[in-house]
Amino acid sequence: MKKIELLAPAGDLEKLKIAIDYGADAVYFGGEMFGLRAGAKNFSLEAIKEGVDYAHARGKKAHMTLNVFAHNDDIEELERYLQSIKEIPIDAFIISDPGILMMVKEAIPNAEIHLSTQANTTNFKTAEFWHRQGVKRIVLARELTFQEIRELRRKLPESLELEAFIQGAMCISYSGRCLLSNFMTERDANRGECAHPCRWKYSLVEEQRPGEYYPVTEDERGTYILNSRDLCMIEHIPEIVESGISSAKIEGRMKSIFYVATIVSAYRKAIDAYYDDPKGYIFRPEWLSELKKVSHREFTTGFYFDKPTNKDQNYQTSAYTRDYTFVGLVQSYDEATGLAVIEQRNKMNVGDEIEVFGPNTDYFTQNIEILLDEEDQPIDSAPHPQQIVKIKMVHPVSEKFMLRKQK
């Protein structure tokens, strides 16, 4: 059985390295233009080269997003951009616009093309059409059920791979085809600048009664009538694998390294456990518990088992649940002293109970009993952003381990 690919988001070079170190088989990233996450830090040409090299040196893949819907004034700049990246051994380009697909093929004839979920592929005939245009993989629309995906797989050639999202934010519009942001803020969602107005609070106003706001539900403050829960499929690894998809994709190029590490690590463990013993596979609740330790909305299984209902919406709030705080990133560890050098990410104090986790490990819990500054002087707290401190660890750690504490 060929193992399914775990595909992780990389909003910048640090996140790319974290995703790979924590178990991703491949990452997807955007350049400084033409990807659908303009708010992410994204990648300069130098960062693209370094990131691709980092992935390849570890036997992983790096896919680049070029999935905007281009306007006329984008074309000349895109042509120049393709010339600047054509010698970088990027593994695949994620594209939604047919014109951009054609341009990439002309500039980089051997490029592997993945069709973005923005192209809204929902049936096997459309998938077959794109395959004839040279597309190697279809990133399926989020609106498909497992039954539909299995039928797609049966009716398509094995040479065409399928990819589907398994974790992350859901769009209230059809796989991202949304005009709300453009209309309300003049930020074009289809060019990477979505303001997420679907998460805003709304009330009903009758035409002849301006200024009188009627709640859509019993909540008098208004209601989040377009506010979807986050997709989470970690409890359904067998169904994901057996659906026939080749790649399981995590959403979140705008998320933190803490988010990327936690989500990738949990899915890595779950997927590996399934392949180790498909018939005897048992879901472990702690994997789901790990996912809940990062900033998230309440979870849903999206369209996979049927069309979503009102239970898949959150009508009370668009706020995230944040029960844990990312407090530090390990830079190095001295086995002789048991001291770890930590880059502070949020305030920590002597006496705090923290959880420590890293690649391919389970977390452990300890109290901060010894906290030193860079000159090895005892301190009571580390309140300054990216402050360098030393902490006595109860178990060995290594670079890129992370520290979190419960709020």
Side-chain angles (χ1 to χ4, degrees), residues 26 40 49 60 78 110 194 223 227 252 256 289 320 336 339 342 365:
K49 293 173 185 175
K60 311 299 184 181
L78 176 56
N110 296 321
C194 186
T223 184
N227 185 34
S256 68
S289 296
Y320 287 89
L339 289 171
I342 310 292
T365 302

Side-chain angles (χ1 to χ4, degrees), residues 15 22 64 69 124 144 185 212 218 253 275 280 317 343 359 363:
K15 294 172 190 175
Y22 274 78
M64 183 176 188
F69 286 94
F124 65 90
L144 295 179
T185 68
E212 296 184 24
E218 295 180 2
R253 281 192 284 145
Y275 280 97
T317 177
E343 181 184 83
Y363 73 87

Side-chain angles (χ1 to χ4, degrees), residues 247-280:
S247 181
K249 188 172 191 175
I250 298 167
E251 184 271 343
R253 281 192 284 145
M254 301 283 287
K255 302 291 189 178
S256 68
I257 61 168
F258 175 51
Y259 178 94
V260 172
T262 304
I263 301 295
V264 169
S265 181
Y267 274 100
R268 179 78 279 154
K269 292 171 184 175
I271 291 171
D272 288 350
Y274 174 82
Y275 280 97
D276 286 344
D277 186 8
K279 292 184 179 179

